[in-house]
Amino acid sequence: ADSLARLGIDAEEIMGNVERLLDVIAAEDRAPCLEAVRRSMTSLGRLDMEFRIVAPSGARKWMRAIAQPRRHASGDVVWDGIALDISHEKRAGEALKAVERRLHVILDHAPAMISLKDRDGRYTLINRAFETTYDVRSEDAVGKTMEEVFEGIDTCAFTDIDRAVLDTGAVVQDEIADPCDSTGRILHVVKFPVADASGRIVAIGAVETDITAIRRTERIARRKDRETRIQNEALLALAKSGTLAAGDLHGALRAIT
């Protein structure tokens, strides 16, 4: 009643006058409310509905009506119940949805493959990079285990890390050959626990980065370093033996390469 009074609405007036009640309910909510009332009246089942009310000033509030119908001796149906101002909860819910939308935008633009699994190993989230890399849609992966998504593939390299995270409650990092890829892709895998408010681990997060190109570049660099070292050692040996004449560096290099 206080919430309605602050909006310039007389609670007693609208509760005793159905037409006045419908007047203050937002136009887009009237039909659903009328249908909910009709069902409750027909079945004498509990009425539980959410709707917006509009004040004379144009301000809006979310309300939740909970009532139990009973048939009066006259045959009329009356409801005993309460109406709650749930505007704060609705605003909090919308704020949370906005945060989730922003988070999904960030996840879907991240170049790394990001996923979330529940304690049973079932995916609850995969990002766009994961979908693109493994050619799997989110709706086809969520609710399934890795073994179900990648049938016929030995996924122990991943699931072993999952178990380590659950057992230790710690972040686990590893470098593995991707068993879901036939081209020799190498992944740097970071898996971490996700806990609820009580501290219980309820999920496992994963960030997987393709480091194949980095490792290939490192191998090439090591090979070149090794070749250069061998050449230098050969030149030094020739110089010590007196075989290398002054100014004959080009010829010596040609001889040992």
Side-chain angles (χ1 to χ4, degrees), residues 75-87:
D76 294 334
V77 175
V78 295
W79 284 264
D80 300 308
I82 58 173
L84 305 171
D85 181 353
I86 59 171
S87 302

Side-chain angles (χ1 to χ4, degrees), residues 18-19 84 126 144-145 168 212 221 245:
V18 174
E19 291 183 357
L84 305 171
I126 62 174
K144 296 179 181 178
T145 65
T168 65
T212 309

Side-chain angles (χ1 to χ4, degrees), residues 25-243:
I25 292 178
E28 58 269 36
D29 293 339
R30 288 172 192 164
C33 285
L34 283 172
E35 177 59 23
V37 170
R38 185 194 64 78
R39 289 197 304 268
S40 178
M41 180 185 297
T42 302
S43 66
L44 292 182
R46 176 182 173 182
L47 176 68
D48 190 342
M49 61 184 187
E50 296 180 358
F51 54 91
R52 286 156 288 191
I53 57 173
V54 184
S57 64
R60 292 189 171 206
K61 271 191 177 294
W62 272 99
M63 304 295 292
R64 181 183 180 187
I66 305 171
Q68 184 63 44
R70 58 186 172 85
R71 194 172 298 280
H72 198 268
S74 64
D76 294 334
V77 175
V78 295
W79 284 264
D80 300 308
I82 58 173
L84 305 171
D85 181 353
I86 59 171
S87 302
H88 177 75
E89 290 80 355
K90 284 290 186 179
R91 286 194 296 270
E94 288 301 319
L96 178 59
K97 288 179 181 178
V99 171
E100 290 176 343
R101 285 194 294 270
R102 289 194 290 268
L103 178 59
H104 275 288
V105 170
I106 294 171
L107 291 175
D108 281 340
H109 285 82
M113 293 164 279
I114 301 173
S115 62
L116 196 66
K117 298 177 185 175
D118 62 21
R119 287 185 63 91
D120 296 323
R122 299 188 182 280
Y123 286 109
T124 58
L125 176 150
I126 62 174
N127 73 337
R128 189 174 298 162
F130 189 106
E131 291 180 305
T132 302
T133 301
Y134 292 120
D135 191 25
V136 58
R137 298 182 304 173
S138 177
E139 55 265 37
D140 295 329
V142 170
K144 296 179 181 178
T145 65
M146 193 171 191
E147 292 83 353
E148 291 170 332
V149 175
F150 302 101
E151 294 183 10
I153 295 176
D154 184 359
T155 58
C156 287
F158 288 104
T159 54
D160 286 350
I161 301 177
D162 291 345
R163 280 192 292 273
V165 172
L166 289 175
D167 290 343
T168 65
V171 176
V172 178
Q173 300 189 49
D174 202 356
E175 187 174 304
I176 64 174
D178 188 351
C180 305
D181 175 72
S182 59
T183 64
R185 180 164 54 224
I186 301 172
L187 298 177
H188 178 252
V189 179
V190 180
K191 296 208 174 189
F192 51 91
V194 179
D196 62 14
S198 69
R200 177 177 179 270
I201 298 175
V202 294
I204 304 165
V207 178
E208 301 165 8
T209 306
D210 185 348
I211 59 171
T212 309
I214 295 174
R215 291 295 177 260
R216 183 181 298 119
T217 300
E218 290 174 346
R219 286 197 301 271
I220 293 173
R222 285 195 298 270
R223 185 172 67 247
K224 288 184 176 180
D225 286 344
R226 186 168 59 253
E227 291 172 352
T228 300
R229 187 176 66 253
I230 292 172
Q231 290 176 355
N232 290 338
E233 289 173 352
L235 286 173
L236 181 60
L238 288 173
K240 286 182 178 180
S241 67
T243 304

